[in-house]
Amino acid sequence: APYLSMDERKMLIKHNNGRAFLELVINWLIIFAAFYLIYVYPSVFVIIPMLFIIGGQQLGCAVLMHDASHFSVFSNKRVNDFVGTWLGGYLLFNKMQSYRPYHKLHHVTTGTVDDPDLLLTRGYPTSRKSMMRKFGRDLFGITGIKSSIALLMMSLGYIKYTQAGVLERTKKEERKVNWMGLLGPVISNLILFLILALVFDPRIYFFWLLAYFTTFQFCVRVRAMAEHSMVEDTTDPMRNTRTTKANFIERLLFAPYHVNYHLEHHMLMTVPSYNLPKMHKLLVKRGFYEHGLLASGYWEVIKQAAKKK
């Protein structure tokens, strides 16, 4: 028997524009609160934790782009796409319109060799030393620099994703510059810079970039590990994706917009983020997680990912 009735499915996929706006406001209030604390208390003991919070909420911008790519943020498609593009993708030097078909392929091919997200999730479990090296590359900016070069080269038309998510060079005659992929991020980041210069100090924008190249990459890695790494059966939709319980700190860092309810998202892609906790409760009540993958927290996932001798 299905775990959700048709009426429940209809209820869960229904948009609530007020709730969507509230989640968006919360995301940006947290970001500006972190900037405010750095501005008022520019001490290393404040800056380091705030960089992690900004990185976690930049992940929120990425999740907003992700949710908008499923048309699950606002009921009006133009508003949905505008928000996902300008408050999501562009601020992270990404383009939602390019991300949408790439991500759709991930849902169709989850866990198979054709899954474009395989690069993010394979290679675990690994040793503690290897995990520390990965986290080190993230937190010292190496991952961020490499991914930024790749995004720039894609916008310039020099490289593209293959179906399996591997980057390959484009043929000279196929090369086409994606001007909005280049201009959009510049314009949106310039607007953010001007707002921060007006509200605080122009130098505060530097911490947005610093978080993007460091803590954001770390948060993305942990989130990706939790969703699809170390799964029991890549061919079973109930066993190739994981939902992870998240406490307050974990929600700030790894699970903005309720993205930790990832198995729910794969079951019903167009459920808005604010309805995912409700969907999770229904599934738990009906015994879905006697079979589905559920982790007790992100620390449990990290330990599981670094347990190889």
Side-chain angles (χ1 to χ4, degrees):
Y3 289 96
L4 299 167
S5 68
M6 279 308 294
D7 284 344
E8 284 167 338
R9 286 169 181 256
K10 283 177 188 171
M11 176 267 291
L12 288 166
I13 64 171
K14 201 172 179 185
H15 292 88
N16 180 330
N17 292 331
R19 291 283 299 277
F21 181 71
L22 182 63
E23 288 206 334
L24 186 62
V25 168
I26 289 168
N27 180 209
W28 281 96
L29 278 177
I30 294 167
I31 290 168
F32 271 82
F35 283 137
Y36 171 77
L37 288 171
I38 290 172
Y39 176 64
V40 176
Y41 307 107
S43 138
V44 70
F45 299 107
V46 172
I47 289 169
I48 290 172
M50 289 309 110
L51 280 174
F52 277 92
I53 286 171
I54 294 166
Q57 297 309 300
Q58 285 176 332
L59 176 58
C61 296
V63 174
L64 182 69
M65 174 182 75
H66 161 269
D67 290 357
S69 78
H70 286 290
F71 300 103
S72 67
V73 181
F74 290 101
S75 55
N76 181 297
K77 286 190 175 180
R78 281 189 179 180
V79 174
N80 177 86
D81 281 14
F82 177 85
V83 168
T85 299
W86 287 95
L87 293 174
Y90 281 164
L91 282 165
L92 303 172
F93 309 96
N94 215 324
K95 188 166 184 276
M96 192 188 72
Q97 301 299 346
S98 307
Y99 172 80
R100 185 174 270 149
Y102 156 88
H103 184 66
K104 190 179 178 184
L105 187 64
H106 162 66
H107 277 271
V108 175
T109 60
T110 308
T112 69
V113 290
D114 294 322
D115 185 350
D117 279 356
L118 213 57
L119 288 172
L120 288 169
T121 57
R122 68 185 177 195
Y124 303 102
T126 186
S127 67
R128 282 184 187 179
K129 275 186 180 176
S130 172
M131 183 64 82
M132 292 308 286
R133 282 197 298 270
K134 289 178 198 298
F135 286 159
R137 287 197 296 271
D138 297 340
L139 294 171
F140 284 98
I142 298 162
T143 309
I145 291 164
K146 282 170 72 177
S147 62
S148 298
I149 291 168
L151 286 168
L152 178 64
M153 295 299 276
M154 276 193 274
S155 288
L156 291 170
Y158 282 95
I159 55 175
K160 63 177 179 181
Y161 270 111
T162 64
Q163 270 216 317
V166 179
L167 289 169
E168 68 171 33
R169 287 189 180 193
T170 50
K171 292 173 185 170
K172 205 169 184 179
E173 59 273 17
E174 286 178 8
R175 279 175 201 161
K176 190 180 173 187
V177 177
N178 177 353
W179 287 109
M180 273 318 285
L182 291 168
L183 284 175
V186 171
I187 294 165
S188 61
N189 275 272
L190 181 60
I191 292 166
L192 179 62
F193 168 78
L194 291 171
I195 292 167
L196 291 173
L198 282 168
V199 176
F200 302 120
D201 180 292
R203 290 169 294 183
I204 292 293
Y205 174 75
F206 165 75
F207 295 102
W208 176 263
L209 286 182
L210 186 58
Y212 172 78
F213 281 103
T214 59
T215 53
F216 168 63
Q217 307 299 330
F218 165 75
C219 294
V220 167
R221 184 182 297 279
V222 175
R223 175 212 165 182
M225 280 191 317
E227 289 173 355
H228 295 292
S229 294
M230 305 153 302
V231 294
E232 294 175 24
D233 185 350
T234 55
T235 61
D236 180 353
M238 288 173 75
R239 313 292 285 175
N240 66 9
T241 305
R242 181 187 292 102
T243 280
T244 307
K245 290 179 184 177
N247 61 32
F248 177 71
I249 299 294
E250 289 171 328
R251 287 204 305 273
L252 277 177
L253 297 180
F254 312 121
Y257 292 99
H258 305 291
V259 76
N260 53 310
Y261 297 111
H262 205 62
L263 190 38
E264 286 75 10
H265 169 63
H266 270 256
M267 276 182 77
L268 210 52
M269 287 181 287
T270 53
V271 173
S273 57
Y274 42 82
N275 283 341
L276 289 171
K278 194 187 297 180
M279 182 178 175
H280 177 73
K281 281 179 186 170
L282 284 170
L283 293 176
V284 168
K285 203 163 100 178
R286 285 164 197 178
F288 176 85
Y289 281 101
E290 288 164 24
H291 309 285
L293 293 184
L294 180 64
S296 64
Y298 284 87
W299 180 239
E300 184 203 316
V301 173
I302 292 169
K303 284 193 293 185
Q304 202 181 328
K307 69 178 184 185
K308 205 172 178 182
K309 298 294 178 194

